[in-house]
């Protein structure tokens, strides 16, 4: 299965845009065509898994938009802006980033992304 098929799996489940990066954020493995995240935004996100203080202070930034930080730990980071949100989950080797909006509800989006992360972890990624 190619990395693009995982992005397709997320978008087919109602996630608007998604991307897979290396865990360090230095390599894009696959992404939706309209989901271009800048290098500084990726660096900010990757750092937030180990030290969320900057995200707590100034929010999460993806594609030039600021999201209010809802959750940040060593596995998952969630951000929200109005009815839209960002879910980022880090596995052993990968970083999954997903953007959702209506009609998908935050809980359903989180479940979808977290299940993909669990699967990748189970197969060594």
């Amino acid at each position: 299965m190619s990395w693009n098929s995982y992005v397709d799996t997320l978008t087919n489940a109602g996630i608007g845009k998604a991307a897979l990066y290396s865990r360090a954020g230095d390599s894009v493995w696959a992404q939706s065509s309209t989901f271009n995240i800048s290098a500084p935004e990726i660096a900010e996100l990757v750092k937030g898994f180990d030290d969320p203080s900057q995200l707590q202070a100034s929010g999460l930034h993806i594609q030039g938009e600021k999201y209010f930080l809802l959750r940040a730990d060593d596995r998952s980071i969630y951000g929200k802006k109005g009815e839209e949100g960002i879910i980022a989950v880090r596995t052993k080797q990968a970083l999954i980033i997903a953007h959702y909006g209506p009609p998908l509800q935050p809980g359903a989006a989180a479940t979808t992304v977290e299940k993909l992360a669990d699967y990748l972890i189970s197969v060594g990624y």
Side-chain angles (χ1 to χ4, degrees):
M1 186 179 259
S2 77
W3 293 113
N4 287 326
S5 64
Y6 293 114
V7 169
D8 293 343
T9 296
L10 291 172
T11 57
N12 289 340
I15 299 290
K17 304 180 265 191
L20 280 102
Y21 283 77
S22 65
R23 180 182 169 107
D26 57 1
S27 173
V28 180
W29 293 354
Q31 66 187 17
S32 299
S33 62
T34 60
F35 202 38
N36 299 308
I37 306 168
S38 72
E41 291 172 337
I42 289 294
E44 174 187 79
L45 181 61
V46 168
K47 184 178 178 190
F49 284 102
D50 297 319
D51 178 10
S53 61
Q54 184 62 35
L55 297 178
Q56 292 165 341
S58 63
L60 172 64
H61 299 87
I62 300 290
Q63 288 192 295
E65 297 291 327
K66 180 179 177 179
Y67 294 83
F68 176 75
L69 185 68
L70 297 175
R71 170 186 176 169
D73 58 38
D74 62 351
R75 175 186 161 108
S76 304
I77 294 175
Y78 296 179
K80 188 155 177 55
K81 178 184 174 195
E83 293 183 331
E84 299 179 6
I86 295 290
I87 299 168
V89 182
R90 185 169 71 167
T91 69
K92 295 174 186 175
Q93 297 182 42
L95 174 59
I96 304 165
I97 306 168
H99 174 274
Y100 67 89
L104 192 62
Q105 295 297 310
T111 299
T112 300
V113 178
E114 295 281 357
K115 281 184 180 179
L116 176 57
D118 289 341
Y119 171 74
L120 291 176
I121 291 167
S122 76
V123 295
Y125 281 97

